[in-house]
Amino acid sequence: MENTEERNININESDILKVFAVSGAVLQSVLGMFLKYAHTNDDLALLGVIFNIVKYTAPVFIFAIVYGMVKNNQHTKVSHFYKEKFGELVIPYLLWASAGLIFFPEIQANQHVTSFWTLIESFVLGNASSQYWYTVMMLQFQLLMPVLIFICYKYLAKPKRVIPLLIVSFVIFGAWLWMYDTFVFQGAYAISLRYLDRFFVSYFIYALLGGIAWVYKEQFDGVIRRIQFILIPVMLLILIWTNREFFSFGFEDMSFGNLIYLKPSMTLYSLLVIFLIYMLARHLINLNSRSLPYYKWLSTYAYRAFTANVFILVIVLRLFGNLIGQLPFFVALLLVYLSTLACSFGVVYAFAQLKVWGERLFLKQKGAHSINH
């Protein structure tokens, strides 16, 4: 049973998961930009280790999105859901991606925009910057809302179906990882199938777990409690595994493109991080932590801050200019990260308040016009 404070601020585990996800995603953007400022192997090693640590963001986003979707939309009309998500998710993405293409075209990823069709392709594939593939991937799960609701509330209405479905799903997901590693990642289809990393199948296991975590919340919480003491030690061991894999490529022309989600080590790492953040969120909610209102506020603007972060990051880097090279490497990294994170949330909050003010002004003028006539 949810307590009074939890109901008053209307917070759940998915809100806290989203805050961790967006914080990690912004840090990934900063780390990617800082590769050009790394002049020694120690600098590169620092960037690589930190990137490995925060390489959990896409799975955490998906788990949190579906957890919240299943929790809140069992009886929602599909048309109403899509209309709401279009304004909430698609519009900010299109606006910030367009701003990036207009003002900072150099941050585009993969194929650059050279025509109307490549512009459409950029939006569809998330190539306006290196981080927008997250948005493209997340929007697919929003489109799959009716399917996910059916699976979670209809098919899984019988508890005996949960374990068989999980077993089959993990087998299929494991086969998908093997296929990607063998044929796509540095394989024969590395170019032609490079966009599989943003196809929903590559992340469906996290969506399924998110839905099950809500529908069978009591059982899921019980499992987490039973394994909580091994989560951190095992996570650290897997983190060593992921770092060994990444640094095996060497420091010369180091690329974060070699650190992919679609491999066993990163899948296990992401799952453990999801469980740890979920456990922390559950703990904070049970304690009625004073931090909950802050988490709620941050989660409200998390997606919008994410869509703005690369655009804001470019501005922050230009404002700091030569100061970045004069500061100790880690200090510069931390300063740029905190500035980008704060400015991303601050800017989208300001735009949100401006939108509210504009809507109120419009309604006020409309009301005055109606009275006069």
Side-chain angles (χ1 to χ4, degrees):
M1 180 69 67
E2 294 182 337
N3 53 56
T4 303
E5 183 171 346
E6 184 181 345
R7 290 198 302 271
N8 285 342
I9 63 173
N10 192 28
I11 193 170
N12 61 72
E13 293 83 359
S14 69
D15 294 310
I16 296 174
L17 283 156
K18 288 175 185 176
V19 173
F20 276 88
V22 73
S23 301
V26 174
L27 183 52
Q28 286 183 23
S29 298
V30 175
L31 293 168
M33 292 287 191
F34 258 70
L35 279 174
K36 65 183 178 183
Y37 298 106
H39 301 300
T40 67
N41 286 349
D42 288 342
D43 293 342
L44 291 171
L46 176 66
L47 295 180
V49 170
I50 297 175
F51 204 98
N52 269 284
I53 292 173
V54 297
K55 188 68 176 181
Y56 59 75
T57 51
V60 171
F61 263 130
I62 295 305
F63 181 94
I65 286 170
V66 176
Y67 182 94
M69 181 195 301
V70 171
K71 177 182 183 296
N72 298 319
N73 295 284
Q74 181 181 3
H75 304 293
T76 302
K77 290 184 178 180
V78 175
S79 58
H80 176 75
F81 177 83
Y82 286 156
K83 181 180 179 181
E84 179 183 296
K85 294 305 174 183
F86 184 82
E88 181 183 324
L89 305 177
V90 178
I91 296 299
Y93 165 58
L94 294 177
L95 291 175
W96 283 109
S98 298
L101 289 171
I102 294 170
F103 295 103
F104 307 125
E106 68 274 12
I107 66 175
Q108 295 174 76
N110 299 315
Q111 183 177 346
H112 285 205
V113 171
T114 56
S115 65
F116 174 76
W117 293 112
T118 54
L119 174 64
I120 299 302
E121 180 180 326
S122 178
F123 287 130
V124 172
L125 297 174
N127 286 337
S129 86
S130 60
Q131 289 290 329
Y132 281 135
W133 72 269
Y134 274 61
T135 302
V136 170
M137 176 264 297
M138 290 187 285
L139 288 174
Q140 293 174 70
F141 288 96
Q142 305 287 354
L143 289 173
L144 289 170
M145 179 274 246
V147 177
L148 294 168
I149 293 295
F150 173 82
I151 291 173
C152 293
Y153 284 110
K154 299 295 183 182
Y155 181 77
L156 293 180
K158 296 181 179 179
K160 65 180 182 180
R161 292 176 174 173
V162 175
I163 298 302
L165 178 61
L166 282 173
I167 292 173
V168 171
S169 297
F170 271 102
V171 169
I172 293 173
F173 191 70
W176 184 265
L177 294 181
W178 174 84
M179 181 277 296
Y180 188 90
D181 183 60
T182 304
F183 298 106
V184 182
F185 180 59
Q186 298 187 337
Y189 301 95
I191 300 299
S192 58
L193 295 179
R194 63 184 175 185
Y195 294 119
L196 281 182
D197 65 348
R198 60 204 67 184
F199 185 42
F200 78 92
V201 176
S202 298
Y203 304 90
F204 82 90
I205 199 69
Y206 309 109
L208 179 61
L209 286 171
I212 291 174
W214 170 252
V215 175
Y216 288 96
K217 181 171 176 53
E218 184 177 342
Q219 294 88 336
F220 185 81
D221 289 355
V223 171
I224 296 298
R225 281 195 298 271
R226 285 193 289 272
I227 66 173
Q228 60 182 323
F229 298 107
I230 68 168
L231 291 178
I232 292 179
V234 175
M235 185 197 72
L236 293 176
L237 289 174
I238 295 177
L239 190 59
I240 294 172
W241 180 12
T242 62
N243 275 282
R244 286 175 61 89
E245 289 180 331
F246 178 64
F247 289 115
S248 67
F249 291 97
F251 287 104
E252 188 175 352
D253 298 323
M254 192 173 85
S255 170
F256 291 141
N258 293 325
L259 183 56
I260 61 172
Y261 285 108
L262 303 182
K263 58 182 180 180
S265 59
M266 194 51 67
T267 299
L268 292 173
Y269 178 72
S270 298
L271 289 172
L272 287 167
V273 172
I274 287 171
F275 297 155
L276 279 167
I277 299 174
Y278 180 92
M279 185 174 67
L280 171 64
R282 184 71 270 174
H283 178 69
L284 292 175
I285 291 172
N286 285 338
L287 285 180
N288 295 325
S289 170
R290 293 181 179 180
S291 65
L292 292 181
Y294 302 103
Y295 276 111
K296 184 60 183 179
W297 186 89
L298 290 169
S299 71
T300 301
Y301 299 98
Y303 173 80
R304 283 170 280 185
F306 167 74
T307 58
N309 88 91
V310 177
F311 186 90
I312 300 296
L313 172 58
V314 175
I315 296 175
V316 168
L317 288 172
R318 293 188 179 185
L319 290 175
F320 278 111
N322 295 330
L323 180 62
I324 294 175
Q326 298 170 11
L327 292 171
F329 187 73
F330 180 75
V331 174
L333 174 66
L334 183 62
L335 186 60
V336 170
Y337 169 63
L338 293 177
S339 299
T340 302
L341 193 65
C343 290
S344 296
F345 276 97
V347 167
V348 298
Y349 175 73
F351 279 134
Q353 295 306 303
L354 186 63
K355 178 176 178 288
V356 171
W357 175 81
E359 290 173 345
R360 287 176 179 172
L361 182 62
F362 174 77
L363 292 174
K364 184 178 180 179
Q365 292 178 342
K366 186 178 179 181
H369 179 78
S370 300
I371 292 172
N372 293 332
H373 291 79

